[in-house]
Amino acid sequence: MLQDLDKTLQQKGVRPTAMRLLVLDYLLKQPAAVSLSDLEAYFHRADRITLYRSLKTFEGKGLVHSIDDGSGAVKYALCPDDCTTLEHHDLHVHFFCSQCRETFCLPKSRIPDIALPEKFKTEEVNLLVKGTCGTCSG
Amino acid sequence: MLQDLDKTLQQKGVRPTAMRLLVLDYLLKQPAAVSLSDLEAYFHRADRITLYRSLKTFEGKGLVHSIDDGSGAVKYALCPDDCTTLEHHDLHVHFFCSQCRETFCLPKSRIPDIALPEKFKTEEVNLLVKGTCGTCSG
DNA sequence: GTTAAAATGCAATGCCATTGCAGAGCATGC
DNA sequence: GCATGCTCTGCAATGGCATTGCATTTTAAC
Ligand SMILES: [Mn+2]
Ligand SMILES: [Mn+2]
Ligand SMILES: [Zn+2]
Ligand SMILES: [Zn+2]
């Protein structure tokens, strides 16, 4: 179990420290994206900055991607396996529930191609849907 | 000319003060969305908070809409005529140029319908494209 | 075990958004 | 014209979040 986590980190080129293993373990169990404050609340004995840097390291190595859901705090969610340092393949929709304020990755909702004016070149597309999630509308 | 601005504000239920007329005039002349800092830099003699509240008032009355382009500062752009206090019709794409860091409304690029999982309900959709704008790629 | 590199903990900073409050400006009715 | 009440404005203060510097600890490599 911890072995698996260890291996996951190694494969992405992240050195598996105690804190990083705990953070990864936590991330794997979350149904929704997490903010730094979420992490801080859960690991109340850990230093905020260390948690921050864990996330940043993970992001840089293609382990998580960041999501700006407009809530004021950036959130993070695990990437699909094929993300790397150089390339993030998170071209999926993000959903922010205004009820529970959770943010979800919707990998099945792909982002359609967008027609842009002449000469405009796309590098990255972010699509954020706000509304009520399945749980809250149930 | 100033008459026109005056009328525009009145129609949206915004009382036309000196500052608001100046801000509206400025907004009308911008090809790209503006941040509070932009306003502050231009109206260097005006108070930042007053400018801030002008934008907020405009936003509340359907005169401008706000855009979170991920640059850290919220930007504002004039709404289409049919926006009101209650309803914003800015279901268009926003484009952030990573070169010049300007943000543009692309009203002609409509946002396609997004297929969501069962029970998820859409209230609002934000689509932000990052890349290189026409001017910078020219 | 020694040593260099990487990670951590703590303090400090900076930027942006937002609010409270007192004074100025404006519109209205008398 | 003048008093009155409401809105707008200016200034100060606050709070949240992201980010960095630096000294110390931990880890990995030799
Ligand atoms: Mn995602
Ligand atoms: Mn727009
Ligand atoms: Zn919800
Ligand atoms: Zn550009």
Side-chain angles (χ1 to χ4, degrees):
Chain A
M1 196 59 191
L2 268 183
Q3 284 302 61
D4 290 349
L5 298 179
D6 203 284
K7 210 157 128 194
T8 303
L9 289 182
Q10 304 255 22
Q11 279 173 353
K12 298 276 185 172
V14 177
R15 304 162 77 127
T17 67
M19 194 72 245
R20 287 172 180 172
L21 288 168
L22 289 172
V23 170
L24 176 57
D25 183 51
Y26 176 77
L27 287 173
L28 280 164
K29 291 172 179 158
Q30 302 312 308
V34 302
S35 66
L36 177 56
S37 297
D38 292 335
L39 275 185
E40 201 189 359
Y42 184 75
F43 297 106
H44 52 281
R45 307 188 49 174
D47 183 65
R48 178 183 186 84
I49 307 301
T50 302
L51 295 170
Y52 170 75
R53 284 195 264 232
S54 294
L55 289 173
K56 282 304 205 184
T57 300
F58 286 6
E59 187 183 19
K61 297 294 186 172
L63 204 54
V64 303
H65 59 279
S66 60
I67 308 160
D68 181 351
D69 62 8
S71 68
V74 177
K75 292 181 183 166
Y76 298 85
L78 288 169
C79 286
D81 285 337
D82 59 346
C83 286
T84 68
T85 303
L86 300 171
E87 222 174 353
H88 275 274
H89 297 101
D90 56 332
L91 203 65
H92 55 256
V93 175
H94 291 121
F95 187 93
F96 176 75
C97 176
S98 47
Q99 206 88 29
C100 61
R101 302 188 67 77
E102 299 278 12
T103 297
F104 305 95
C105 292
L106 300 182
K108 287 175 187 166
S109 300
R110 302 226 114 228
I111 298 180
D113 282 339
I114 309 297
L116 297 180
E118 192 86 25
K119 284 186 168 182
F120 277 63
K121 303 217 165 56
T122 299
E123 284 162 13
E124 195 187 321
V125 181
N126 285 297
L127 202 160
L128 179 73
V129 180
K130 298 191 188 189
T132 311
C133 76
T135 308
C136 289
S137 79
Chain B
M1 196 60 190
L2 268 184
Q3 284 300 62
D4 290 349
L5 299 177
D6 204 286
K7 210 157 131 195
T8 303
L9 289 181
Q10 305 255 23
Q11 279 172 353
K12 298 275 186 171
V14 177
R15 303 163 76 126
T17 67
M19 194 72 245
R20 287 171 180 171
L21 288 168
L22 289 172
V23 171
L24 176 58
D25 184 50
Y26 177 76
L27 287 173
L28 281 165
K29 289 172 180 160
Q30 302 313 307
V34 302
S35 67
L36 177 56
S37 297
D38 292 335
L39 275 186
E40 202 188 358
Y42 184 75
F43 296 107
H44 51 280
R45 307 188 50 173
D47 183 64
R48 177 183 186 84
I49 308 300
T50 301
L51 295 169
Y52 170 75
R53 284 195 265 232
S54 294
L55 289 173
K56 283 304 206 183
T57 300
F58 285 5
E59 187 183 18
K61 298 293 187 173
L63 203 53
V64 303
H65 59 280
S66 60
I67 308 161
D68 182 352
D69 61 9
S71 69
V74 177
K75 292 181 183 166
Y76 298 85
L78 287 170
C79 286
D81 284 339
D82 58 346
C83 286
T84 67
T85 304
L86 301 170
E87 223 174 352
H88 275 275
H89 298 101
D90 55 335
L91 203 64
H92 54 257
V93 174
H94 290 122
F95 187 94
F96 176 74
C97 177
S98 47
Q99 207 86 30
C100 62
R101 303 189 67 77
E102 298 278 13
T103 297
F104 304 94
C105 292
L106 300 182
K108 287 176 185 164
S109 300
R110 302 226 113 227
I111 299 180
D113 281 341
I114 309 297
L116 297 180
E118 193 86 26
K119 283 186 169 181
F120 277 63
K121 302 216 169 56
T122 300
E123 284 163 13
E124 196 185 322
V125 181
N126 285 296
L127 201 160
L128 179 72
V129 180
K130 297 190 190 190
T132 311
C133 77
T135 307
C136 290
S137 79

